[in-house]
Amino acid sequence: MTDRRTTLKLVIAAAAAMPALRARANYRDNLEPGASEPGDVRRFEPTIHGYGPDPDLIKAYEKGAFWPLTMNAGQRQLAAALCDLIIPADEHSPSASAVGAVDFIDEWISAPYPKQREDRDTVLNGFVWLDGEARRRFEQPFAKLHEAQQRTICDRICDASRAAADLRGPAQFFAAYRNLTAAGFYTTLAGRKDLQYIGNVALTHFDGAPVELLRKLGLA
Amino acid sequence: MPFVTASSQRGPYDVIIVGSGAGSGQAAYTLCMEGVRVLMLEAGRRYTPATESPMFQTPDMAPLGGADTPDKNKGFYDATVDGGWDVPGQPYVSVPDQWGGHFTWWRARMLGGRTNHWGRISLRNGPYDFKPHTRDGLGFDWPITYDDVAPYYDKVELLVGVYGGDTSLENTPAGPGDTLLPPPKPIVSDHLLMKRAPRLGIPVLPGRRAVLTRAQDHRTIPGRLHPGNQRAQKILAEAMKKRSPCLWATPCGRGCAVAANYQSTTVHIPPALATGNLDIITDAMVYEVTMGKNGRANGVRFVDAKTGKHEHVTGRAVVLGASAYETVRILLNSKSGPFPNGLANSSGLVGRYILDTVGSSVSAQIPLLESLPPLNDDAADGLQVYVPWWLYKENLSHKLPFPRGYHIEYGGGRQMPSAGTFAGLEWLTGGSYGKKFKEDARRYYGSFVYYDGRGAMVPNDKSYVEIDPKVKDKFGIPVLRIHWQWGDYEQRQAVHMQQTFGELAEAMGGRVTSPIVTDPLRAVAPGGYMIHEVGGTIMGADARSSVTNRWSQTWDVPNLFVADGGVFPYNADKNPTLTIMALSWRMSDHILERMRRRDI
């Protein structure tokens, strides 16, 4: 049943669920957070209701079409500042917030599903820590800091594997937030252009790998 | 109007078919083309790929960037509607017999069932796969050989359109030479596998999927499939003309509005409807096969999912193609005087020997594939190449700690970025953010590949389904209770997959994205996860050791047949759908013959 996109999606789902880890560890960590013991009876029945099992797949949805966005103004300012610290504008493409990443993240953490609710706690708790840290060190909320000041804080939490023991929580928040920012940015037209993605267009024939490139890579 | 209701049906019908997926669609097609009046019952809603397939939609048009949720388990744009691991109001119960062993059951309550989203991978069982017991003493042989089924593989490939390449490799057969369409051209990551895998003695072949890489030959194929039947030929030619070749874009799993791949709803059902011999009732949740006084089935009962009304429809024969376990559920819920333990269950084997495919996966990051120039890698949505099982001799000589093989589904390339494409990259980027992160994203985009192992399962006594004594679904129908256990062979095979994938990644100059798993129960995906469940109404040589015979006919009830994967007494590594269709066509030919003899 598996096609490549499904597989990549599985890899991705695991990565999103465990932002500090490399992709998926194994199937069971993805599928069953609490591993079953022999004899455990589980009744498989859904209990969550979001957009339901039969949404209209053709129409394009605005962010917040299925559930209200919930970030307040202060949270959105912080969200935008952090989005653009992670994905700033450069010569190739605009910044993450300029293409709607804040709405994407707001929709994500406002969703009724378990994974998103977990991310909600991670993100909103992370915001509180980040603003607290900004005020403690620079007497300003994070969104008001200069980029150099923001970096002083974020350099310590940008890699969970190197973060100090007492910063592990914030580092996990930063990893999760970077995942969400990248998701919000690279799923847009601007993000696809930045990557020079040229697929998803109808073609009359498919040529496969260019021979010159194969030669260059030693694969011809 | 061929879509009817219980009150507007246009009986009498010759055959009642329960289900509308690969097996049921094939049965309806074959029977209707020969003039048989068929009523098809589908538990879910009517579904129209031409207008409902979100082919070119981009992730930013979907909630959560299209990510999977409890409502849409394989992502927002997956074709499955009203289905997934859980179906509202239609629970099942799972009892694992080992750690981590919950079986998960994917269902799709929609016309065409799971054929709307399936992977389209279409591999033939080989000669060994029909006689596994003869070969290594384990499990059961099929009561039929590869040669019995080969003509039907040819027919199905010609009808639905399957691309691939001929091969002389052991137990990896192809048709007589012209049943397959040309395979898609390989992309860069495919060439890397093709170059490096042979160094490890691992062969790489063109993939095989049910996708039209060119238009079907509507001038000659109808005559080959329906010799002497002008009307069927004409209908099929028209149907083939309406299918477009692949557009070389968009995931097949979203459904195909131009019918360039196989779905029952685009390939089987339209010509069957065009005969005028097929009526369909959707939202019809079948729960019982009814019996006449003569010991023969005379119809089925169902609940109208919209009104809750119980209905009864009748026919001269009943074909169950509800999916392997749903068919078991119907049989076990069809209790009567002569069949106190469920219909067609004199052997006590209905629900026994359920099987899935052994699954294990590894992904890797390949430096050679970093920072490539812009490339369109969409192809026909994957599996341009694959690795068939290559160690048959080692199986036989016990050089491996498991007796049966697996194949490797492989992929990579610059796919459309999704919500997770750049998640969890710290191990490569050192936690970059800012402009450096954007540079890293450009560098690593498209540099990942995956290896999915898909392996054979030997049947075991611990894996079976029965009716749960307490739980009922929203219609009041008793639900299934699924018991599941992987055998040692499957677990060891999964570890071998992991190790092989690690070696392949290394041979390709790459690094695996997660540690190779050597704990057997962690290496193998949970039961059901591959959505290849078969067995439960297994076919065999006699009525004591099987539920159905070589014609997929139940031993106990001569006009009751099984058209889905339930009849598989063994699940080779080959994905089951193509074989389900071939066996259903074969079964349908047998029904036609019996109808001509007036046995039915």
Side-chain angles (χ1 to χ4, degrees), chain A residues 64-88:
Chain A
F66 288 104
W67 46 82
L69 306 184
T70 56
M71 279 191 205
N72 62 34
Q75 288 167 333
R76 287 182 67 88
Q77 276 165 20
L78 198 164
L82 192 52
C83 274
D84 291 352
L85 186 68
I86 291 169
I87 298 189

Side-chain angles (χ1 to χ4, degrees), chain B residues 348-361:
Chain B
L349 293 178
V350 171
R352 294 277 153 174
Y353 302 116
I354 60 171
L355 299 154
D356 189 30
T357 293
V358 179
S360 198
S361 301

Side-chain angles (χ1 to χ4, degrees), chain A residues 185-200:
Chain A
F185 179 75
Y186 289 108
T187 53
T188 65
L189 182 62
R192 290 191 288 278
K193 278 189 175 161
D194 180 288
L195 297 167
Q196 297 189 284
Y197 170 74
I198 56 170
N200 203 39

Side-chain angles (χ1 to χ4, degrees), chain A residues 1-13 15-16 19 21-32 35-46 48-61 63 66-67 85-94 104 107-108 111 113-116 150-151 154-155 158-159 162 174-175 178-179 182-183 185-189 192 194-210 213-214 217-220, chain B residues 45 51-54 56-65 67-72 74 76-78 81-82 86-89 91-104 119 121 185-188 191-192 195 247-251 359-361 363 368 372-379 381-382 409 414-424 426-427 430-435 437-438 441-442 445 450 452 454 471 512-514 517 521-522 524-526 529-532 575:
Chain A
M1 64 100 200
T2 311
D3 58 65
R4 61 186 173 186
R5 289 177 172 90
T6 308
T7 304
L8 291 171
K9 223 166 348 182
L10 290 171
V11 174
I12 285 154
L21 300 180
R22 289 183 189 184
R24 69 181 148 181
N26 60 57
Y27 283 107
R28 298 190 193 273
D29 291 342
N30 297 346
L31 198 69
E32 298 176 68
S36 58
E37 295 299 328
D40 278 355
V41 174
R42 183 178 154 195
R43 183 170 157 170
F44 284 81
E45 191 160 34
I48 309 298
H49 296 290
Y51 50 65
D54 190 11
D56 182 342
L57 302 184
I58 302 301
K59 67 179 278 193
Y61 295 94
K63 299 288 170 256
F66 288 104
W67 46 82
L85 186 68
I86 291 169
I87 298 189
D90 64 6
E91 62 273 32
H92 297 283
S93 59
F104 176 91
E107 180 190 60
W108 187 280
Y113 304 111
K115 188 164 80 185
Q116 281 73 22
Q150 291 175 335
R151 283 193 162 266
C154 290
D155 279 346
C158 70
D159 183 359
R162 287 187 288 126
F174 193 85
R178 178 170 41 210
N179 289 349
F185 179 75
Y186 289 108
T187 53
T188 65
L189 182 62
R192 290 191 288 278
D194 180 288
L195 297 167
Q196 297 189 284
Y197 170 74
I198 56 170
N200 203 39
V201 290
L203 304 173
T204 53
H205 54 98
F206 181 76
D207 294 331
L213 178 60
L214 291 177
L217 297 172
L219 299 175
Chain B
R45 73 164 171 87
T51 56
E52 296 193 64
S53 305
F56 289 94
Q57 271 74 351
T58 50
D60 44 333
M61 297 162 74
L64 307 176
D68 60 290
T69 67
D71 282 323
K72 293 279 291 185
K74 287 188 183 290
F76 189 75
Y77 287 129
D78 181 65
V81 297
D82 291 330
D86 295 308
V87 178
Y92 58 96
V93 174
S94 165
V95 188
D97 277 344
Q98 63 196 167
W99 179 85
H102 277 301
F103 189 97
T104 53
I121 294 173
K185 296 200 177 75
I187 62 173
V188 175
H191 282 276
L192 181 58
K195 188 97 173 168
L247 304 176
W248 308 108
T250 90
S360 198
S361 301
S363 55
L368 190 70
L372 293 185
L375 293 165
N376 182 328
D377 287 340
D378 283 356
D381 187 36
E409 298 171 6
R414 295 167 66 93
Q415 306 308 321
M416 181 149 66
S418 71
T421 300
F422 298 101
E426 291 83 354
W427 66 289
S432 67
Y433 64 98
K435 287 188 180 182
F437 181 78
K438 291 176 92 171
R442 289 172 207 130
Y445 172 55
Y450 67 82
D452 281 342
R454 297 290 179 261
V471 181
V512 295
T513 62
S514 57
V517 181
L521 267 179
R522 286 182 180 276
V524 62
Y529 208 72
M530 296 299 122
I531 322 186
H532 285 174
N575 311 39

Side-chain angles (χ1 to χ4, degrees), chain B residues 31-67:
Chain B
L31 294 170
C32 290
M33 283 298 214
E34 294 297 324
V36 175
R37 295 272 300 136
V38 171
L39 177 65
M40 173 182 272
L41 302 169
E42 162 54 46
R45 73 164 171 87
R46 187 173 172 181
Y47 172 73
T48 313
T51 56
E52 296 193 64
S53 305
M55 288 180 75
F56 289 94
Q57 271 74 351
T58 50
D60 44 333
M61 297 162 74
L64 307 176

Side-chain angles (χ1 to χ4, degrees), chain B residues 173-445:
Chain B
D178 66 346
T179 60
L180 296 173
L181 299 165
K185 296 200 177 75
I187 62 173
V188 175
S189 51
D190 297 331
H191 282 276
L192 181 58
L193 182 76
M194 289 154 67
K195 188 97 173 168
R196 303 288 173 82
R199 294 181 187 173
L200 301 173
I202 295 175
V204 181
L205 295 181
R208 286 196 208 177
R209 292 180 67 244
V211 180
L212 302 185
T213 48
R214 68 174 181 219
Q216 288 176 295
D217 182 356
H218 62 85
R219 288 186 183 82
T220 66
I221 292 173
R224 292 171 69 182
L225 295 181
H226 302 287
N229 184 341
Q230 299 293 330
R231 183 150 188 271
Q233 291 175 22
K234 193 162 172 265
I235 288 167
L236 178 56
E238 288 307 309
M240 284 183 160
K241 279 190 241 175
K242 285 183 188 146
R243 297 182 65 190
S244 158
C246 185
L247 304 176
W248 308 108
T250 90
C252 295
R254 297 179 175 205
C256 191
V258 298
N261 59 36
Y262 167 76
Q263 305 173 223
S264 176
T265 35
T266 55
V267 178
H268 277 141
I269 292 175
L273 286 173
T275 65
N277 294 322
L278 176 64
D279 283 353
I280 300 173
I281 304 181
T282 54
D283 302 296
M285 183 67 193
V286 174
Y287 60 92
E288 184 184 358
V289 177
T290 57
M291 296 291 289
K293 291 205 171 67
N294 54 1
R296 295 190 166 220
N298 65 9
V300 302
R301 284 189 215 284
F302 67 90
V303 182
D304 182 324
K306 283 186 169 157
T307 65
K309 272 179 72 179
H310 289 244
E311 309 280 3
H312 186 222
V313 289
T314 58
R316 287 156 64 195
V318 174
V319 171
L320 297 177
S323 83
Y325 302 175
E326 198 67 46
T327 287
V328 166
R329 183 181 175 203
I330 293 167
L331 289 173
L332 292 179
N333 277 329
S334 301
K335 290 179 185 167
S336 61
F339 294 102
N341 302 316
L343 192 58
N345 195 22
S346 64
S347 63
L349 293 178
V350 171
R352 294 277 153 174
Y353 302 116
I354 60 171
L355 299 154
D356 189 30
T357 293
V358 179
S360 198
S361 301
V362 165
S363 55
Q365 194 275 330
I366 313 286
L368 190 70
L369 301 177
E370 290 171 13
S371 305
L372 293 185
L375 293 165
N376 182 328
D377 287 340
D378 283 356
D381 187 36
L383 211 78
Q384 296 76 240
V385 297
Y386 87 115
V387 173
W389 180 236
W390 67 101
L391 297 173
Y392 285 106
K393 288 179 183 62
E394 288 76 0
N395 278 147
L396 212 51
S397 60
H398 304 288
K399 280 188 186 144
L400 292 170
F402 55 94
R404 310 270 172 85
Y406 60 88
H407 68 265
I408 306 171
E409 298 171 6
Y410 169 80
R414 295 167 66 93
Q415 306 308 321
M416 181 149 66
S418 71
T421 300
F422 298 101
L425 289 187
E426 291 83 354
W427 66 289
L428 294 167
T429 64
S432 67
Y433 64 98
K435 287 188 180 182
K436 175 69 167 43
F437 181 78
K438 291 176 92 171
E439 286 160 19
D440 284 336
R442 289 172 207 130
R443 172 180 171 185
Y444 294 114
Y445 172 55

